[in-house]
């Protein structure tokens, strides 16, 4: 909020101009003042804690001034409505509030009972009970009410502070005064804050949790006496909400409700804004999705800090220490978020990653899943890091960026030099599995996740894309996250989608070595999509435990691979223990893709970089020949 504009309204003679003058002069002005004061501006240095500029506009209720009054009402973002006697009080409900509504304005109204010095025999509580509460219950626009006296300089600063606070810290989004309860959006935000502050996830805010919360929000610690007073206030209204373990979520919500009831809603707003909430009680977009550029041919990955956060989150919510997150534990973990990421649901989580015997996602699967999410949609990871409370030191709106890193650009040289492609500096690789129906693609994905292969008797073609993600350990101990994707009926759409293919590190062509018709599908596919030659590849002959047959095509797979200058098909079977070596090989080819690029059509064995060797060899022959001629001439002499 850059500025607060207060429109002071009310009947003639209620003391509107005197209130403004008393604020400016800091004393009651006894001399006659002009009927309508000029606009005044209060600089941020003496404004609200939010340091906003405040403009105060005096108005007249005379009929001929009505157009100007209406114009100022529409320009304002808070209205100070002043009355001073029974007649002007009756006009609040009969004229002023309906008039504001007729103008279509939706701004908070602060109701001010001025000239309290003329009725000082009537207690304020009675004025509030008899006059203010009835009209506040009728008109929800009224944010707060106060008694003032310009003559006695009573509550002058306070009334304008209420106006400022009505704009900077509005009560309406937080509290329903009619029901005397916090609104659902506010409760939801506070529940998330409670979750983030409950560091050990036991359902209570311990004294340490409260201390950390106090420092984070207010920048100063609570004394033992203050903490005890807070607990006593909560216990008076909700005895079971404070135990030896700390304050329950219900107690924390109640505490904020008490703040609202006592007019201390600026305290609630300070808490909400500390945790990056906007005035509409949504999380700031700059906090959920800070700017994070991933250059072309690069990818996003989790940084060590990001991995550590997700490891700690898993261990914290694995309450039974069984090495897996049950549906109940997952539900508790994702409580401060909108739920599972849509991408996870599309990939049939948790079936797409590593699970234990009970079907619960393991730590390995959990980390692999987030690695894949970061690789394919880093904005999703950033948003969920924010939802789940990733914090860095010092905290800031963009602190979640410390959980991610960008890889070096993957170099894809021109076609003539692509076999000189340098190794890839990535920890996450993606492979697309292509092949004819019944070629064993789905079984490869199941085996990759250490699950039984799909029996032939229950086979059905994969219609939707299917993904599996797991960690592969390479010789030497390096671990790589490998994403295997079967494209299903979306194969044509994805192969025509250049950005999708750009994310792919290697194409895995699978064919059934026991089916004579299987390999022809691959040949036809590569002829149809010539641009697939721009990606490294690996041929996989599946079902190698069965009798091998000749493929019903012009060129057999081994010869086809030789013509392309790539490795011969790898023969595997999901029934063999050695199947895991295939995934290691896929990862190695993805990291060192040079030799896996197919040769250009018509290019011979020695083409490409072979020409360099030829010229070097020819040069060497010429040098040797010249030397031999020189020696012969000397001998002849």
């Amino acid at each position: 909020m850059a500025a607060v504009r207060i429109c002071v309204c009310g009947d003639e003679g209620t003391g509107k101009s005197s209130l403004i003058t008393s604020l400016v002069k800091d004393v009651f002005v006894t001399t006659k003042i002009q009927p309508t004061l000029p606009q005044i501006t209060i600089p941020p240095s003496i404004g609200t804690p939010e340091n906003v500029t405040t403009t105060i506009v005096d108005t007249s209720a005379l009929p001929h001034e009505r157009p100007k009054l209406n114009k100022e009402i529409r320009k304002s973002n808070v209205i100070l409505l002043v009355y001073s006697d029974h007649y002007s009080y009756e006009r609040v409900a009969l004229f002023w509030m309906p008039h504001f509504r007729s103008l279509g304005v939706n701004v908070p109204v602060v109701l001010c009972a001025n000239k309290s010095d003329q009725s000082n025999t009537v207690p304020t509580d009675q004025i509030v009970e008899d006059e203010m509460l009835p009209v506040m219950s009728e008109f929800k626009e009224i944010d707060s009410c106060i008694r003032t006296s310009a003559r006695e300089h009573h509550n002058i600063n306070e009334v304008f502070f209420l106006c400022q606070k009505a704009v900077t810290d509005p009560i309406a989004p937080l509290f329903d005064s009619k029901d005397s309860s916090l609104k659902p959006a506010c409760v939801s935000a506070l529940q998330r804050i409670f979750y983030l502050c409950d560091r050990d996830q036991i359902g209570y805010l311990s004294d340490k949790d409260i201390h950390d919360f106090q420092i984070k929000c207010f920048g100063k610690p609570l004394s033992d006496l203050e903490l005890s007073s807070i607990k006593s206030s909560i216990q008076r209204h909700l005895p079971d909400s404070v135990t030896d373990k700390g304050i329950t979520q219900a107690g924390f919500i109640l505490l904020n409700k008490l703040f609202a009831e006592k007019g201390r809603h600026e305290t609630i707003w300070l808490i909400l804004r500390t945790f990056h909430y906007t005035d509409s009680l949504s999380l700031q977009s700059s906090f959920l999705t800070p700017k994070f550029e991933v250059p072309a041919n690069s990818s996003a990955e989790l940084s060590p800090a990001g991995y550590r956060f997700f490891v700690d989150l898993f261990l914290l919510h694995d309450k039974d220490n069984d090495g897996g997150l049950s549906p109940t534990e997952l539900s508790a973990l994702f409580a401060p978020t909108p739920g599972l990421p849509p991408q996870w649901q599309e990939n049939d989580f948790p079936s797409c990653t590593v699970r234990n015997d009970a079907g619960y996602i393991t730590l390995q699967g959990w980390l692999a899943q987030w690695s894949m999410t970061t690789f394919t949609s880093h904005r999703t990871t950033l948003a969920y890091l924010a939802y789940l409370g990733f914090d860095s030191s010092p905290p800031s709106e963009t602190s979640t960026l410390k959980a991610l890193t960008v890889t070096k650009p993957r170099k894809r040289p021109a076609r003539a030099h692509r076999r000189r492609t340098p190794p890839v500096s990535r920890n996450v690789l993606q492979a697309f599995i292509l092949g004819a129906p019944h070629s064993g693609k789905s079984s490869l994905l199941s085996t990759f996740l250490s699950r039984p292969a799909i029996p032939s008797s229950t086979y059905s073609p994969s219609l939707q894309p299917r993904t599996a993600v797991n960690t592969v350990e390479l010789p030497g101990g390096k671990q790589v996250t490998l994403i295997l994707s079967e494209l299903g009926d979306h194969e044509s759409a994805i192969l025509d989608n250049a950005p999708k293919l750009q994310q792919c590190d290697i194409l895995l062509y699978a064919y059934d070595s026991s089916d004579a018709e299987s390999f022809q599908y691959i040949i036809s596919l590569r002829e149809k999509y010539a641009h697939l030659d721009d990606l490294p590849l690996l041929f996989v002959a599946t079902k190698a435990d069965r009798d091998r047959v000749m493929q019903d095509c012009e060129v057999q797979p081994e010869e086809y691979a030789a013509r392309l200058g790539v490795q011969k098909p790898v023969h595997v079977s999901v029934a063999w223990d050695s199947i895991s070596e295939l995934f290691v090989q896929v990862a190695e080819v993805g990291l060192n893709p040079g030799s896996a690029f197919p040769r250009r059509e018509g290019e011979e064995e020695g083409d490409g970089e072979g020409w360099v060797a030829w010229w070097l060899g020819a040069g060497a022959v010429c040098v040797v020949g010249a030397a031999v001629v020189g020696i012969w001439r000397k001998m002849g002499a």
Side-chain angles (χ1 to χ4, degrees), residues 1-4 41-55 161 164-165 167-169 270 273:
M1 179 62 64
V4 173
T41 299
I42 301 174
S45 57
I46 56 174
T48 64
E50 285 80 11
N51 290 324
V52 296
T53 299
T54 303
T55 301
F161 176 72
Q164 293 172 320
K165 193 168 68 167
V167 177
T168 60
D169 304 306
L270 182 56
R273 287 167 181 153

Side-chain angles (χ1 to χ4, degrees), residues 589-611:
V589 171
L591 291 174
N592 300 279
S595 61
F597 281 102
R599 277 202 306 268
R600 292 172 296 175
E601 185 177 350
E603 186 178 336
E604 299 297 329
E605 180 77 28
D607 286 353
E609 66 271 25
W611 280 106

